[in-house]
Amino acid sequence: MEVTDLQAAASSPERTRRILKYVGVSAGVVLALVLIAGVSLRLWLSHALNVSLPQVDGTVYARGLTAPVKVERTAAGMPAIHAGNLHDLAFAQGYVTAQDRLWQMDMLRRYAEGRLSEILGSMTLEHDRAQRYLQLGAAADAALPHIAADQMQLLNAYADGVNAFIAESEGHLPLEFRLLHYSPAKWTPHDSLLVGLSMSQELSTSFPTKLARETLTSRLSPELLADLYPVGSWRDHPPVDGHPSLSAPNQDPPDAPLDETQTKLTLPASSIEELQHVLHPFACDGCVSGSNNWAVSGAHTATGKPLLSNDMHLGLDIPGIWYETSLESPELHAAGVALPGLPFIIVGHNQHIAWGFTASLADVQDLYIEKLRPSAANPKQREFQTHEGNWLPVATRQEVIHVRGSKDVPLEISLTSHGGHPTPIISPMIPREQRPLALAWTIYDPEITASLPFQAVDQASTYEQFVTAFRNFGGPSLSAVYADDQGHIGYHAIGKVPVRGDAQHPSGLSPVPVTDGSYEWSGYASYDLMPQALDPESGVLATANARVTADDAPYTLSLDWENPYRNERIWKQLLPSKGLTAADMMKLQLDVYSDGDRVIAQKLAYAIDHSKTKDKRLHQAADLLRVWNGNMETNSAAAAIVNSTRTALWPMLLRPLLGNDWRLYRWNSRAFVQEELISHAPARWLPSQYSDWNELLTAAVQEGLRDAHAPGDLSHWSYGSMHRIDLQHPLYGSNRIFRRIFPAPTGPGDFPLPGDSITVRAGSATFGASERFTADLADWENSNLNLPVGQSGNPRSENFRDQWTNWYRGKPLPLPWKTVKAQHTLTLEP
């Protein structure tokens, strides 16, 4: 070996030590810099959150007021606003709501109009495209000139209040604006209408179901379709019926004949699933935007005065969709929940009446397959054929989506006309759709979209005044339940519902896209003939999105009612009860008994007993199922078995007939459909590889246990291990870095959740009771209201998630009325 080699070999350990030392020092420096950056970022976030907390004490000077306004805040963050007139009341409501919810308000208007990509970039481009084709922004623009002058003044006052807060907050806006590097535009009445229209979209978007049903109609026989798409059920209890039978079947399936000519024109499952995801990116299976509400007369209560309850089931987020507040001026005093972006109380009570809503699920959308041709005068212009056979030019509207970090995306929206109103051609928003499909929707009628009833509702003192306030209300279509301090209870279906055809040629509702001109809208259902009831002999009124029409109703409002179980359970609990209190109302809101699941549990146990299986775990499942009480409790193994089996059974039934298109089967009452199939075991639905339904159901239990990764000993399994809720802030909770360094938790955490989609306490990971409200007509101070998380959208606020424990455990929070225990008092001075 040469000398140089020996020297190199001798020095290599020293060189290695030097390199390792250098690496160690460098790593230490990098780590120190990372730690410093992390601490600095955390400190900056903490500071930014602190400075964006709203001022809740002292005095604020707000240009636009005519007199001072006092705002008292409770420990739960509810503002009680005391103003000298309606103008200042609306102004202050806008100001105070923006204090807690400004970023949410901005996102609501952007979500509705299709302007999220301006701040979020291309990740929301498909959503924005869809919203532009749906034309909510144009609907709001068209409605503005039709708004009554007094209502426009109040919308402007509300907007002025929001804008006063925006101007005051320059330099310390809510953190979301700073993280996303943008400032909110001024609020306008147009934006308030957008917020209302977004709720209509949430509660009345039915056209994807019609597209899905069209595909299944082309693949299945009328007999099978009738099984899958019942209209109502024998379990229904419409509020307009006195004592309808709760045992006799009462089904009226629509005429949906097999049409071979449509087979190649219908859409595959992937197209409609993509559409559903764009429209509802966070939707969950079985989550139907609905609600529970009921009113009981004094004959059922401990005080001799009515009780009224309402819990509205919507997607859950942080902050929640509702904002709790109390409004008082010489003209109006009401308390309850408001929708951020709109003035007045939406659900709550005043000094004389209380009210609440559920979605009625009335069908207010139709899809028309248009006939188009080039114009003879201008080949670049297209024409569409009206139902009378005339040809009219297709109108166009130019839209531009601004995309942060990318090029603008221009869109040309084509519009035909049905029912006297523009109907956008929405085919470009539906993947692989080749036909020109135009969407008719009640929101495109500017006169009814311009109807703003809630000032009159908040001021009403009688049932007649209450229902009159909604006479011209456009939507969403709702079931309103009412009670007053004189002892009356009432119900009325509200919202405009189209009449298809005319008096001589009524066509009813179409469950699929139509070409037949007889489905043209000729007007709206008479408000006086809509389902309604006042002071029924039973002393009970309740709705829960199930069928609300009697058998002899003059109008068919919907083909797609919700599962009947929640509504049935409410009626069965209330009708025989006496001496009810507000606490009993909360107990019913938290009820997790499921008659549908219990019936199926018994059928599954029977099937296993009579099958050929020797599997000990399956027989253990049967033993657990046969003794189950039907409560979907988090510690229940039987509830977990039923839930997993029901999920596994649908593809076993549908895939042999539909292949991958089985996923298209979506029907609000499909849980009831499954109960009927299991109960009656029709041979036409039995897959060929099974000898009978006992073998099929036993296989479904086995499949469900496997898919859900059930333990070997099922007694150690629990429903709460699979059915959970975990709410996170949409910005802070969506990023792992934020979750690690944030100065406050971004959500309440991960919890097991009792109930399912067909229990009175309905819920899932991101869906459930968006509020729980009970009004005690004997003593307003005994009323209660609970939000899922909290009033504030700021994680540093004491009201960010302070209501979670009460909501999760079902402990009511008082809704202050005359006695407000103010923790903070703010005066707004002109």
Side-chain angles (χ1 to χ4, degrees), residues 593 597-611 613 615-631 636-642 645 694 698 701 714:
Y593 174 78
D597 287 311
R598 188 168 183 270
V599 167
I600 288 179
Q602 297 301 309
K603 299 293 184 182
L604 296 177
Y606 178 92
I608 293 171
D609 291 344
H610 292 78
S611 73
T613 185
D615 190 314
K616 291 183 178 180
R617 192 167 70 150
L618 288 176
H619 284 287
Q620 183 189 26
D623 291 338
L624 291 167
L625 292 168
R626 80 176 86 256
V627 298
W628 180 47
N629 60 9
N631 288 323
S636 172
I641 295 168
V642 172
T645 302
N694 291 330
T698 300
V701 175
L714 294 177

Side-chain angles (χ1 to χ4, degrees), residues 212-240:
R213 181 165 174 173
E214 180 185 37
T215 297
L216 268 62
T217 299
S218 71
R219 304 280 299 278
L220 299 176
S221 69
E223 189 177 33
L224 295 176
L225 286 168
D227 291 335
L228 291 179
Y229 296 106
V231 180
S233 76
W234 59 267
R235 291 180 178 269
D236 290 338
H237 196 312
V240 295

